[in-house]
Amino acid sequence: MSTERKGTNKGSPSAAVRIALAGNPNCGKTTLFNALTGSRQHVGNYPGVTVEKKEGGFRHAGRDIHVIDLPGTYSLTAGSPEELVARNVILEEAPDLVVDVVDASNLERNLYLATQFMELRVPVVLALNMADVAEARGQTIDWKQLSQLFNVRIVPTVAHKGRGLEELKQAIIEVAEEKPPHQPAKVTHGQHVETELSKLTERIESACGQETQAPARWLAIKLLEDDEVVAEHIGKTCQDAETIMETVRTSRNHLARELGDDAEILIADSRYGFISGACQESVRSTVESRHTLSDRIDMVMTHRILSIPIFFALMFLVFKLTFTVGAPFMGWIERFFGWLQEAIVGVWPTGSAPLLESLIVDGIIGGVGGVLVFLPNIFLLFLAISLLEDSGYMARAAFIMDRFMHKIGLHGKSFIPMLIGFGCTVPAIMATRTLENRRDRLTTMLVAPLISCGARLPIYVLLIPAFFPKAWHAPMLWLIYVIGIALAVIAAKLLRSTLFKGEVEPFVMELPPYRMPTLRGTLLHMWERGSLYLRKAGTLILGVSIVMWALLTFPQEVDYSRDYDAAMGVVAQQELPEEQIEERIEELEKARQAEELSKSLAGQIGRGLEPVLKPLGFDWRIATALIGAFAAKEVFVAQMGIVYSVGEADEESTPLRDKLRRNYSPLVGFCIMLFCLISTPCMATIAVTKRESNSWRWPLFQLGGLTLLAYALTLIVYQVGSFAGIGI
Amino acid sequence: MPSSEQATALPLAMLRPGESARVSHLASRSQGDCRKLTAMGFAAGVEIAVLNRRSGPLLVRIGDSRIALGRAMAQRVMVVLDG
């Protein structure tokens, strides 16, 4: 990949051209990035912040071009980590040029970002994207004219159809090779502001000299805009910083007096002035808004009364799709792993390395396979969520839910991570990145595990039919989900009125026009999220499966309470029909396995925990399975199967359900589900919370809090239930 | 900005669906909010229209985009009604 060659011999004609790809959210930047770089991508994080860093590369005309995909932003202030990251990349990594993707059908606002790159004096190429959409509704952009006014290269593109890509690549090379580097037009800010700016620029130039990489005029603009990050930078790198800051204060006061507005608003206004002047000269429109159809759809979708039933109907469809369409695929995967296990046992030379055989068959395939069975459901749920997002409905859902979310101290945007949480908590916690306010973000992160994720579903699917009549199945499942949602709501409210006290962050969000989702885009989105689950299965769950297997297998030498071999020998000698002998031997074998298990490490740990879990109605077997569930919720099912020594345990195995029914009351069954719903978010959740909150404090708080809550609630339910005689 | 206009300005949150107005200024309480609003296109003189409002947020047309605004945010955008 071209990343490895980055900047090695910059300046020589064979060196890689380094470009940054920028643009507003929803402008088609991601599509363009994918179209340019194809599979040559690398995804990581910017150091210190949880903003995703995507890089990639391609070759054109014999040159390597390295692309840094900047986060989608509207502006380059210090207001959000994304915007800070975007401008730091320009300042620190000094790319040869910026390709700013501009949504042609929303030109003026998209150009606002462009003016800020121009202020940074970095060569800019504008990719005028979706010009076809603009044209289709009668808006012709004279891009050559616009290009002159901005003094930047403009290339019309239609990224999702791959149009304009070659021209864009060519323009990148040409602009990058210009010597001296190409300079875009200067955005002027009106006489008053300009006077103050030149005073400040001079001061910065003389005081900071070569100490700073940023252009002095840009620093001056940022200081006038009261940008705290630049102020801090000046304080650190320049002599005489105090005098500079004094000049800034005087200038700001002067402008406020003279023009009656804050300097930052004046500067923003003049940027818009520059843009709208340019657009007036270069855009001809026989206006028909791209929103005409979209607005009409919104009349229904966000209707005061209709919106709510529509919302619930869509949610219902999402779950319907996930569970019914997924079922046959699950069956296939299940059968595949069953076949694989049998096949390995079949070809394994009898008696050689039985431990290794057991590790592969029971530990690895049993553990990882049990988790991969749910892959179709997870992918289907993410497919549905991607469809909701790409069509534009997700933003409407945030709008519809804003009032409700407000009541629990969050706002509409927090709703999106919660919804994703039904699929998997890990991407849900990652989706909290769209929340600007740390209090909102932490609250959403901490309560997200209460939204019942896809991995907990197998537990319900195993237990509900084991303990409840058929007519209760659906309502029972529904009840569990509702309990989770209700607890999340209460917990959020509680957190917002105690730990994260403070005003509700104001809600502003752009609602993109409804779009027909493209197959490619939707599948890509689904894959991005779903592959996390797949990776989890391949790494974490694989590791844990091996550990759990070891805990269940060792110590190998067990002092049995009776001599099973002798007992089997006695049975074999008896004068009985063949079938009965086999049956008895099998029973003895199972009893032997059960005793072996109860004396294994896991069994001993389970017995150690039994006194604590007894008041919840749980015995040592359940305790062992709960430990497994911490690794990944779905492990609970596999673990119960092994514990009950039914050779093969997936959630459809009837014998396991029979045994559960014989051993526990429906009340205990319900308590298990309740405990699994609330308690101990899985290891992957803890890890992602640690990463996203940048501290161990919050994942530990989450772990401790949720486990205590689970314990307390289950205790109440079990004790009250037993006392009242319900379900025992 | 002429002070007479500031005197007739009212918060966007008070508009009914279907009403349109021009942004007069931002009654800034916090800088972060102002920046966010500005970046979304709420600059002095810009035409906006309220498309929809629920008991919580408003749906606003600004230029050629649609912005959902929480009630608190809508209190900070001061507008002058058209006509």
Side-chain angles (χ1 to χ4, degrees), chain B residues 24-69:
Chain B
S24 152
H25 61 286
L26 302 177
S28 52
R29 272 220 324 233
S30 92
Q31 248 182 33
D33 294 352
C34 273
R35 281 177 184 158
K36 212 185 288 178
L37 285 169
T38 311
M40 294 293 233
F42 290 87
V46 170
E47 277 293 327
I48 56 178
V50 176
L51 296 177
N52 192 331
R53 78 181 276 177
R54 311 174 68 80
S55 40
L58 284 88
L59 181 57
V60 177
R61 176 177 68 215
I62 177 161
D64 199 23
S65 40
R66 303 292 176 268
I67 309 280
L69 266 179

Side-chain angles (χ1 to χ4, degrees), chain A residues 329-331 333-338 340-341 360-378 454-459 461 533-534 536-538 541-542 545 632-639 642 648-652:
Chain A
F329 296 100
M330 279 175 71
I333 299 183
E334 217 160 49
R335 259 170 272 149
F336 168 73
F337 282 112
L340 190 64
Q341 279 175 323
I360 293 172
V361 174
D362 305 333
I364 297 177
I365 301 180
V368 176
V371 171
L372 288 182
V373 165
F374 298 97
L375 208 58
N377 300 57
I378 303 284
R456 273 167 270 187
L457 187 69
I459 304 176
V461 176
Y533 184 83
L534 201 60
K536 178 173 96 167
I541 295 187
L542 177 64
S545 294
K633 295 278 182 182
E634 54 273 52
V635 172
F636 182 90
V637 172
Q639 195 80 358
I642 307 173
E648 220 227 275
D650 51 63
E651 80 296 354
E652 287 297 337

Side-chain angles (χ1 to χ4, degrees), chain A residues 74-75 77 105-106 109 112 137 225-228 259 261-262 264 268-269 272 289-291 295 302-304 307-308 399-400 402-403 436 503 505-511, chain B residues 1 6 24-26 28-29 31 33-44 51-59 61 64-73 76:
Chain A
Y74 292 109
S75 171
T77 64
S105 53
N106 198 351
R109 218 208 33 234
Y112 188 71
R137 65 179 159 90
E225 285 183 307
D226 207 13
D227 185 298
E228 61 265 39
L259 301 170
D261 240 325
D262 282 342
E264 54 200 287
D269 280 350
Y272 274 117
S289 168
R290 68 178 171 150
H291 281 278
D295 278 346
T302 63
H303 185 268
R304 205 163 46 86
S307 60
I308 304 290
F399 174 67
I400 293 165
D402 180 58
R403 178 158 176 257
E436 294 95 353
E503 258 182 81
E505 172 84 355
F507 169 56
V508 198
M509 187 177 183
E510 189 186 358
L511 304 190
Chain B
M1 190 161 302
Q6 292 211 359
S24 152
H25 61 286
L26 302 177
S28 52
R29 272 220 324 233
Q31 248 182 33
D33 294 352
C34 273
R35 281 177 184 158
K36 212 185 288 178
L37 285 169
T38 311
M40 294 293 233
F42 290 87
L51 296 177
N52 192 331
R53 78 181 276 177
R54 311 174 68 80
S55 40
L58 284 88
L59 181 57
R61 176 177 68 215
D64 199 23
S65 40
R66 303 292 176 268
I67 309 280
L69 266 179
R71 179 56 54 87
M73 228 24 167
R76 290 167 208 182

Side-chain angles (χ1 to χ4, degrees), chain A residues 268-295:
Chain A
D269 280 350
S270 51
R271 286 186 193 125
Y272 274 117
F274 176 82
I275 293 164
S276 74
C279 286
Q280 251 161 33
E281 285 187 44
S282 50
V283 181
R284 296 277 161 275
S285 71
T286 50
V287 166
E288 178 156 1
S289 168
R290 68 178 171 150
H291 281 278
T292 34
L293 178 61
S294 191
D295 278 346

